[in-house]
Amino acid sequence: MAFPDSSIDYREHPEAYRIGHGERGVFHVHPYKEELLPLWAIRNEVDATEAITAIEARFRDYREQDDFVGMDMARKYLQMGYTRSRRYARYPGGRKRDKRGEAIEPRNADAEKARIAQRYQKALDAVRDDKTYCRAKQAHQRRTRR
């Protein structure tokens, strides 16, 4: 799957949206990027907790509006919070390679980031298990199957 077309307003044209794998396209789907990216954070536990709460609230808003693309984008931002904080938890400074370009063995580098990852994962699991989200996802996949 190619990145989504940044020139498309996916709220106006949800049929053009493709779910994709993982958090792919998270910076390309407008107007959701502008709505969700400012909420997202992993700097510290306080900021991350506020971010998770805000993204979950936005997810509920999208759900109430029957906006599958918005729900899926909120899911992607929660997933990105999990994957990025997990990376920082395992690698010093989030870097997988040293200055010579050689792979660094993963380890427990940052306990705070590990706790942040757990919080993001819990919120992500709740979204993935949301019955309305699951039904909307299946319906979207049926409509957009080519």
Side-chain angles (χ1 to χ4, degrees):
M1 178 189 131
F3 283 114
D5 183 342
S6 296
S7 69
I8 296 174
D9 180 328
Y10 287 92
R11 182 168 284 127
E12 294 295 320
H13 299 283
E15 73 283 355
Y17 178 74
R18 299 296 177 266
I19 297 168
H21 180 71
E23 63 198 54
R24 189 173 183 118
V26 76
F27 298 119
H28 300 274
V29 177
H30 299 277
Y32 303 100
K33 173 195 169 191
E34 291 82 8
E35 296 169 1
L36 294 165
L37 184 57
L39 305 176
W40 185 86
I42 62 168
R43 282 181 294 278
N44 56 54
E45 283 185 84
V46 172
D47 289 349
T49 300
E50 289 174 8
I52 292 165
T53 301
I55 294 168
E56 287 174 322
R58 194 57 63 102
F59 172 83
R60 288 188 300 276
D61 292 343
Y62 294 138
R63 187 179 59 197
E64 287 173 18
Q65 297 163 13
D66 243 355
D67 183 348
F68 169 71
V69 179
M71 287 189 287
D72 198 53
M73 289 303 295
R75 180 213 32 104
K76 287 183 180 210
Y77 275 88
L78 292 171
Q79 188 162 351
M80 184 170 67
Y82 168 72
T83 58
R84 302 283 169 95
S85 56
R86 198 66 215 129
R87 181 175 179 167
Y88 278 87
R90 297 180 71 195
Y91 299 97
R95 294 183 186 6
K96 292 183 174 183
R97 300 198 174 272
D98 63 19
K99 292 178 182 176
R100 296 183 315 261
E102 295 181 26
I104 297 172
E105 285 295 316
R107 58 187 170 90
N108 294 327
D110 189 330
E112 182 180 36
K113 293 293 192 269
R115 290 189 300 273
I116 291 169
Q118 288 175 331
R119 290 179 183 196
Y120 267 105
Q121 184 173 26
K122 183 178 177 185
L124 175 60
D125 289 345
V127 165
R128 285 180 175 153
D129 293 340
D130 184 272
K131 290 183 186 347
T132 302
Y133 169 76
C134 292
R135 282 193 300 272
K137 180 178 178 181
Q138 289 174 342
H140 183 80
Q141 288 172 321
R142 280 192 302 273
R143 282 191 305 273
T144 59
R145 200 169 280 146
R146 291 183 182 169

